[in-house]
Amino acid sequence: DQQVKQNSPSLSVQEGRISILNCDYTNSMFDYFLWYKKYPAEGPTFLISISSIKDKNEDGRFTVFLNKSAKHLSLHIVPSQPGDSAVYFCAASANHPNSGYALNFGKGTSLLVTP
Amino acid sequence: NAGVTQTPKFQVLKTGQSMTLQCAQDMNHEYMSWYRQDPGMGLRLIHYSVGAGITDQGEVPNGYNVSRSTTEDFPLRLLSAAPSQTSVYFCASSYSIPATYNEQFFGPGTRLTVL
């Protein structure tokens, strides 16, 4: 059963506007959340992360928001640029041996930023 | 510093053949893992290792073997390839287990087709 869900397979945004990518999770033991960006024919690259003790983390144009009570996180990209066009994966992990200490990934959201 | 390297980039196998996908990292990372990415499925964990000599199964381990004799290398073996193993395979590494706020670095991937 998918523990990390990205319900929007794709998103199209105009250059300069805000992109908001959403992610929901079901496992309340998750305490570390990450966003990865993936271009075609390349491996995923780390973008930004947040621990469960925070509700917001910023890095330049990228901000991740965490709402633990709703088990929801979002990635905001402001302003969006054409080079941001990629597939974005949400991932989460739990510091518990039963989880394999692994990252659980969502299915990804394909972002297209148009000029 | 090459990061995480994977060989080969592409491979075509016939059903029943065996092969090994190579993965190496030069960052002295303790944690390594293998994922497969299928269309619409996100990344799913196959096997992982928390250090040399220690491996364990992930979400989809059937049909695959791993070993970790050195810190640097984490090969993935397909024992008897099946068409269901057609996928893109990513190796990843991190300083420690991802849940302790360690981002994973991914290799460029191996695209495997089983006929």
Short mmCIF file of all heavy atoms in Angstrom, two decimals, chain A residues 44-91:
data_model
loop_
_atom_site.label_atom_id
_atom_site.label_comp_id
_atom_site.label_asym_id
_atom_site.label_seq_id
_atom_site.Cartn_x
_atom_site.Cartn_y
_atom_site.Cartn_z
N PRO A 44 17.59 10.75 -9.65
CA PRO A 44 17.00 11.83 -8.85
C PRO A 44 18.09 12.62 -8.13
O PRO A 44 19.11 12.06 -7.71
CB PRO A 44 16.11 11.08 -7.85
CG PRO A 44 15.89 9.74 -8.45
CD PRO A 44 17.12 9.43 -9.22
N THR A 45 17.86 13.91 -7.97
CA THR A 45 18.78 14.74 -7.20
C THR A 45 18.03 15.39 -6.05
O THR A 45 16.88 15.83 -6.21
CB THR A 45 19.46 15.83 -8.06
OG1 THR A 45 18.45 16.60 -8.69
CG2 THR A 45 20.36 15.22 -9.09
N PHE A 46 18.67 15.46 -4.91
CA PHE A 46 18.06 16.02 -3.72
C PHE A 46 17.77 17.51 -3.91
O PHE A 46 18.59 18.26 -4.45
CB PHE A 46 19.00 15.81 -2.54
CG PHE A 46 18.60 16.54 -1.29
CD1 PHE A 46 17.55 16.09 -0.53
CD2 PHE A 46 19.27 17.69 -0.90
CE1 PHE A 46 17.18 16.75 0.61
CE2 PHE A 46 18.92 18.36 0.24
CZ PHE A 46 17.87 17.90 1.01
N LEU A 47 16.60 17.92 -3.44
CA LEU A 47 16.21 19.32 -3.60
C LEU A 47 16.13 20.02 -2.24
O LEU A 47 16.82 21.00 -1.97
CB LEU A 47 14.86 19.39 -4.31
CG LEU A 47 14.36 20.73 -4.78
CD1 LEU A 47 15.34 21.39 -5.74
CD2 LEU A 47 13.00 20.56 -5.46
N ILE A 48 15.31 19.49 -1.36
CA ILE A 48 15.10 20.13 -0.07
C ILE A 48 14.47 19.11 0.87
O ILE A 48 13.83 18.15 0.41
CB ILE A 48 14.20 21.38 -0.21
CG1 ILE A 48 14.20 22.22 1.07
CG2 ILE A 48 12.78 21.00 -0.64
CD1 ILE A 48 13.55 23.61 0.88
N SER A 49 14.68 19.30 2.18
CA SER A 49 14.11 18.36 3.14
C SER A 49 13.56 19.10 4.34
O SER A 49 13.79 20.31 4.51
CB SER A 49 15.18 17.36 3.61
OG SER A 49 16.21 18.03 4.32
N ILE A 50 12.82 18.37 5.16
CA ILE A 50 12.29 18.95 6.39
C ILE A 50 12.12 17.83 7.41
O ILE A 50 11.73 16.72 7.07
CB ILE A 50 10.95 19.69 6.13
CG1 ILE A 50 10.50 20.45 7.37
CG2 ILE A 50 9.86 18.71 5.66
CD1 ILE A 50 9.36 21.44 7.10
N SER A 51 12.46 18.13 8.65
CA SER A 51 12.23 17.15 9.71
C SER A 51 10.89 17.43 10.36
O SER A 51 10.34 18.52 10.23
CB SER A 51 13.35 17.21 10.75
OG SER A 51 13.23 18.37 11.53
N SER A 52 10.40 16.44 11.09
CA SER A 52 9.06 16.56 11.64
C SER A 52 8.94 17.58 12.76
O SER A 52 7.84 17.91 13.19
CB SER A 52 8.59 15.19 12.14
OG SER A 52 9.48 14.70 13.12
N ILE A 53 10.08 18.07 13.24
CA ILE A 53 10.00 19.07 14.31
C ILE A 53 9.80 20.49 13.75
O ILE A 53 9.62 21.43 14.50
CB ILE A 53 11.27 19.05 15.21
CG1 ILE A 53 12.52 19.37 14.39
CG2 ILE A 53 11.39 17.70 15.89
CD1 ILE A 53 13.77 19.52 15.25
N LYS A 54 9.85 20.61 12.44
CA LYS A 54 9.66 21.91 11.81
C LYS A 54 8.37 21.91 11.00
O LYS A 54 7.84 20.85 10.64
CB LYS A 54 10.83 22.23 10.88
CG LYS A 54 12.15 22.45 11.59
CD LYS A 54 13.18 22.92 10.57
CE LYS A 54 14.47 23.34 11.27
NZ LYS A 54 15.46 23.85 10.30
N ASP A 55 7.88 23.09 10.65
CA ASP A 55 6.74 23.16 9.74
C ASP A 55 7.08 23.88 8.44
O ASP A 55 6.25 23.94 7.54
CB ASP A 55 5.53 23.80 10.42
CG ASP A 55 5.83 25.18 10.98
OD1 ASP A 55 6.85 25.78 10.58
OD2 ASP A 55 5.06 25.67 11.82
N LYS A 56 8.31 24.37 8.34
CA LYS A 56 8.69 25.10 7.12
C LYS A 56 10.20 25.07 6.98
O LYS A 56 10.93 25.17 7.98
CB LYS A 56 8.20 26.55 7.23
CG LYS A 56 8.58 27.45 6.07
CD LYS A 56 8.07 28.87 6.33
CE LYS A 56 8.58 29.86 5.31
NZ LYS A 56 8.11 31.23 5.58
N ASN A 57 10.65 24.91 5.74
CA ASN A 57 12.07 25.02 5.46
C ASN A 57 12.25 25.68 4.10
O ASN A 57 11.58 25.30 3.14
CB ASN A 57 12.74 23.65 5.47
CG ASN A 57 14.26 23.74 5.38
OD1 ASN A 57 14.83 24.74 5.81
ND2 ASN A 57 14.90 22.72 4.86
N GLU A 58 13.13 26.67 4.05
CA GLU A 58 13.34 27.43 2.81
C GLU A 58 14.75 27.26 2.30
O GLU A 58 15.71 27.20 3.07
CB GLU A 58 13.15 28.94 3.09
CG GLU A 58 11.74 29.42 3.10
CD GLU A 58 11.69 30.93 3.29
OE1 GLU A 58 11.76 31.67 2.29
OE2 GLU A 58 11.59 31.36 4.45
N ASP A 59 14.87 27.24 0.99
CA ASP A 59 16.18 27.24 0.36
C ASP A 59 16.05 27.96 -0.97
O ASP A 59 15.64 27.38 -1.99
CB ASP A 59 16.69 25.82 0.14
CG ASP A 59 18.10 25.79 -0.41
OD1 ASP A 59 18.71 26.87 -0.60
OD2 ASP A 59 18.62 24.68 -0.66
N GLY A 60 16.35 29.24 -0.95
CA GLY A 60 16.23 30.02 -2.18
C GLY A 60 14.81 30.10 -2.67
O GLY A 60 13.92 30.54 -1.94
N ARG A 61 14.58 29.65 -3.89
CA ARG A 61 13.22 29.71 -4.47
C ARG A 61 12.32 28.58 -3.98
O ARG A 61 11.14 28.54 -4.31
CB ARG A 61 13.33 29.64 -6.00
CG ARG A 61 14.06 30.82 -6.62
CD ARG A 61 14.00 30.75 -8.16
NE ARG A 61 14.69 29.58 -8.68
CZ ARG A 61 14.07 28.59 -9.32
NH1 ARG A 61 12.76 28.62 -9.51
NH2 ARG A 61 14.76 27.57 -9.79
N PHE A 62 12.88 27.66 -3.25
CA PHE A 62 12.14 26.46 -2.84
C PHE A 62 11.80 26.50 -1.35
O PHE A 62 12.66 26.79 -0.51
CB PHE A 62 12.97 25.20 -3.14
CG PHE A 62 13.38 25.08 -4.58
CD1 PHE A 62 14.59 25.60 -5.03
CD2 PHE A 62 12.55 24.46 -5.49
CE1 PHE A 62 14.96 25.50 -6.36
CE2 PHE A 62 12.90 24.35 -6.82
CZ PHE A 62 14.11 24.87 -7.26
N THR A 63 10.53 26.22 -1.04
CA THR A 63 10.08 26.16 0.34
C THR A 63 9.24 24.90 0.50
O THR A 63 8.37 24.62 -0.33
CB THR A 63 9.24 27.38 0.72
OG1 THR A 63 10.00 28.57 0.50
CG2 THR A 63 8.82 27.32 2.18
N VAL A 64 9.50 24.16 1.56
CA VAL A 64 8.67 22.99 1.87
C VAL A 64 7.91 23.29 3.15
O VAL A 64 8.47 23.81 4.12
CB VAL A 64 9.52 21.71 1.98
CG1 VAL A 64 10.61 21.84 3.02
CG2 VAL A 64 8.64 20.51 2.29
N PHE A 65 6.62 22.97 3.12
CA PHE A 65 5.74 23.15 4.26
C PHE A 65 5.27 21.78 4.73
O PHE A 65 4.92 20.93 3.91
CB PHE A 65 4.52 24.00 3.89
CG PHE A 65 4.85 25.41 3.51
CD1 PHE A 65 5.08 25.76 2.18
CD2 PHE A 65 4.90 26.41 4.47
CE1 PHE A 65 5.38 27.06 1.83
CE2 PHE A 65 5.20 27.72 4.13
CZ PHE A 65 5.45 28.04 2.80
N LEU A 66 5.25 21.59 6.05
CA LEU A 66 4.79 20.33 6.62
C LEU A 66 3.64 20.57 7.58
O LEU A 66 3.76 21.39 8.50
CB LEU A 66 5.94 19.63 7.35
CG LEU A 66 5.59 18.34 8.10
CD1 LEU A 66 5.11 17.27 7.13
CD2 LEU A 66 6.79 17.84 8.90
N ASN A 67 2.54 19.87 7.37
CA ASN A 67 1.39 19.91 8.26
C ASN A 67 1.21 18.51 8.82
O ASN A 67 0.62 17.63 8.19
CB ASN A 67 0.14 20.37 7.50
CG ASN A 67 -1.08 20.48 8.39
OD1 ASN A 67 -1.17 19.82 9.43
ND2 ASN A 67 -2.02 21.31 8.00
N LYS A 68 1.76 18.28 10.02
CA LYS A 68 1.77 16.93 10.58
C LYS A 68 0.37 16.44 10.91
O LYS A 68 0.06 15.26 10.76
CB LYS A 68 2.64 16.89 11.83
CG LYS A 68 4.13 16.89 11.55
CD LYS A 68 4.92 16.65 12.81
CE LYS A 68 4.69 15.27 13.37
NZ LYS A 68 5.46 15.04 14.61
N SER A 69 -0.47 17.33 11.39
CA SER A 69 -1.81 16.88 11.77
C SER A 69 -2.60 16.40 10.56
O SER A 69 -3.40 15.47 10.65
CB SER A 69 -2.57 18.01 12.48
OG SER A 69 -2.70 19.13 11.61
N ALA A 70 -2.34 17.02 9.40
CA ALA A 70 -3.03 16.61 8.17
C ALA A 70 -2.22 15.57 7.40
O ALA A 70 -2.69 15.08 6.37
CB ALA A 70 -3.26 17.83 7.28
N LYS A 71 -1.01 15.25 7.87
CA LYS A 71 -0.11 14.35 7.16
C LYS A 71 0.06 14.82 5.71
O LYS A 71 -0.13 14.05 4.74
CB LYS A 71 -0.61 12.91 7.21
CG LYS A 71 -0.60 12.28 8.61
CD LYS A 71 -0.85 10.79 8.53
CE LYS A 71 -0.79 10.13 9.89
NZ LYS A 71 -1.90 10.53 10.75
N HIS A 72 0.42 16.06 5.58
CA HIS A 72 0.50 16.69 4.27
C HIS A 72 1.74 17.57 4.20
O HIS A 72 2.07 18.28 5.15
CB HIS A 72 -0.75 17.54 4.02
CG HIS A 72 -0.73 18.29 2.73
ND1 HIS A 72 -1.10 17.72 1.54
CD2 HIS A 72 -0.37 19.57 2.44
CE1 HIS A 72 -0.97 18.61 0.57
NE2 HIS A 72 -0.54 19.74 1.10
N LEU A 73 2.43 17.50 3.07
CA LEU A 73 3.49 18.46 2.83
C LEU A 73 3.38 19.00 1.41
O LEU A 73 2.75 18.37 0.54
CB LEU A 73 4.88 17.90 3.09
CG LEU A 73 5.47 16.78 2.27
CD1 LEU A 73 6.99 16.82 2.39
CD2 LEU A 73 4.99 15.43 2.78
N SER A 74 3.95 20.18 1.22
CA SER A 74 3.90 20.79 -0.09
C SER A 74 5.24 21.45 -0.39
O SER A 74 5.97 21.86 0.51
CB SER A 74 2.76 21.80 -0.19
OG SER A 74 2.93 22.83 0.76
N LEU A 75 5.52 21.53 -1.67
CA LEU A 75 6.73 22.20 -2.17
C LEU A 75 6.28 23.40 -2.97
O LEU A 75 5.48 23.26 -3.91
CB LEU A 75 7.55 21.26 -3.03
CG LEU A 75 8.76 21.87 -3.74
CD1 LEU A 75 9.84 22.24 -2.72
CD2 LEU A 75 9.33 20.90 -4.78
N HIS A 76 6.78 24.58 -2.59
CA HIS A 76 6.49 25.81 -3.33
C HIS A 76 7.74 26.26 -4.06
O HIS A 76 8.82 26.32 -3.45
CB HIS A 76 6.02 26.91 -2.37
CG HIS A 76 4.70 26.64 -1.74
ND1 HIS A 76 3.84 27.66 -1.36
CD2 HIS A 76 4.07 25.50 -1.43
CE1 HIS A 76 2.75 27.13 -0.84
NE2 HIS A 76 2.86 25.83 -0.87
N ILE A 77 7.58 26.58 -5.33
CA ILE A 77 8.68 27.09 -6.13
C ILE A 77 8.28 28.48 -6.61
O ILE A 77 7.30 28.62 -7.34
CB ILE A 77 8.98 26.19 -7.34
CG1 ILE A 77 9.20 24.74 -6.90
CG2 ILE A 77 10.21 26.70 -8.09
CD1 ILE A 77 9.34 23.75 -8.05
N VAL A 78 9.03 29.49 -6.14
CA VAL A 78 8.70 30.87 -6.50
C VAL A 78 9.97 31.67 -6.79
O VAL A 78 10.84 31.73 -5.92
CB VAL A 78 7.93 31.59 -5.36
CG1 VAL A 78 7.53 33.00 -5.80
CG2 VAL A 78 6.72 30.80 -4.93
N PRO A 79 10.11 32.33 -7.94
CA PRO A 79 9.25 32.15 -9.11
C PRO A 79 9.65 30.91 -9.90
O PRO A 79 10.82 30.51 -9.87
CB PRO A 79 9.56 33.42 -9.92
CG PRO A 79 10.99 33.72 -9.59
CD PRO A 79 11.19 33.28 -8.17
N SER A 80 8.74 30.34 -10.60
CA SER A 80 9.04 29.15 -11.40
C SER A 80 9.82 29.54 -12.65
O SER A 80 9.57 30.61 -13.24
CB SER A 80 7.74 28.45 -11.82
OG SER A 80 7.00 28.07 -10.69
N GLN A 81 10.75 28.67 -13.04
CA GLN A 81 11.58 28.93 -14.21
C GLN A 81 11.49 27.71 -15.15
O GLN A 81 11.27 26.59 -14.68
CB GLN A 81 13.04 29.14 -13.80
CG GLN A 81 13.25 30.33 -12.88
CD GLN A 81 14.67 30.44 -12.37
OE1 GLN A 81 15.49 29.56 -12.58
NE2 GLN A 81 14.95 31.53 -11.67
N PRO A 82 11.68 27.90 -16.45
CA PRO A 82 11.61 26.76 -17.38
C PRO A 82 12.53 25.61 -17.00
O PRO A 82 12.20 24.45 -17.20
CB PRO A 82 12.00 27.40 -18.72
CG PRO A 82 11.56 28.82 -18.59
CD PRO A 82 11.83 29.19 -17.15
N GLY A 83 13.69 25.93 -16.42
CA GLY A 83 14.63 24.89 -15.98
C GLY A 83 14.12 24.05 -14.83
O GLY A 83 14.71 23.01 -14.51
N ASP A 84 13.01 24.48 -14.21
CA ASP A 84 12.40 23.69 -13.13
C ASP A 84 11.56 22.55 -13.69
O ASP A 84 11.09 21.70 -12.93
CB ASP A 84 11.52 24.57 -12.25
CG ASP A 84 12.30 25.65 -11.52
OD1 ASP A 84 13.48 25.41 -11.19
OD2 ASP A 84 11.72 26.73 -11.28
N SER A 85 11.34 22.53 -14.98
CA SER A 85 10.54 21.47 -15.59
C SER A 85 11.22 20.12 -15.38
O SER A 85 12.34 19.89 -15.86
CB SER A 85 10.35 21.73 -17.08
OG SER A 85 9.65 22.94 -17.29
N ALA A 86 10.57 19.24 -14.65
CA ALA A 86 11.15 17.95 -14.26
C ALA A 86 10.07 17.16 -13.54
O ALA A 86 8.95 17.66 -13.33
CB ALA A 86 12.35 18.15 -13.34
N VAL A 87 10.41 15.95 -13.15
CA VAL A 87 9.52 15.17 -12.28
C VAL A 87 9.99 15.35 -10.84
O VAL A 87 11.19 15.24 -10.56
CB VAL A 87 9.53 13.68 -12.65
CG1 VAL A 87 8.65 12.88 -11.69
CG2 VAL A 87 9.04 13.49 -14.09
N TYR A 88 9.05 15.66 -9.96
CA TYR A 88 9.36 15.89 -8.55
C TYR A 88 8.80 14.74 -7.72
O TYR A 88 7.60 14.43 -7.80
CB TYR A 88 8.78 17.22 -8.09
CG TYR A 88 9.52 18.39 -8.69
CD1 TYR A 88 9.27 18.79 -10.00
CD2 TYR A 88 10.48 19.08 -7.96
CE1 TYR A 88 9.96 19.84 -10.57
CE2 TYR A 88 11.17 20.15 -8.52
CZ TYR A 88 10.91 20.51 -9.82
OH TYR A 88 11.60 21.56 -10.39
N PHE A 89 9.68 14.14 -6.94
CA PHE A 89 9.27 13.04 -6.07
C PHE A 89 9.29 13.50 -4.63
O PHE A 89 10.27 14.10 -4.16
CB PHE A 89 10.23 11.85 -6.21
CG PHE A 89 10.11 11.12 -7.52
CD1 PHE A 89 11.02 11.35 -8.54
CD2 PHE A 89 9.10 10.19 -7.72
CE1 PHE A 89 10.92 10.66 -9.75
CE2 PHE A 89 8.99 9.50 -8.92
CZ PHE A 89 9.90 9.75 -9.93
N CYS A 90 8.24 13.18 -3.93
CA CYS A 90 8.16 13.36 -2.49
C CYS A 90 8.61 12.05 -1.85
O CYS A 90 8.30 10.97 -2.37
CB CYS A 90 6.71 13.69 -2.13
SG CYS A 90 6.34 13.75 -0.38
N ALA A 91 9.37 12.13 -0.75
CA ALA A 91 9.83 10.92 -0.08
C ALA A 91 9.78 11.12 1.42
O ALA A 91 9.88 12.26 1.91
CB ALA A 91 11.25 10.56 -0.52
#
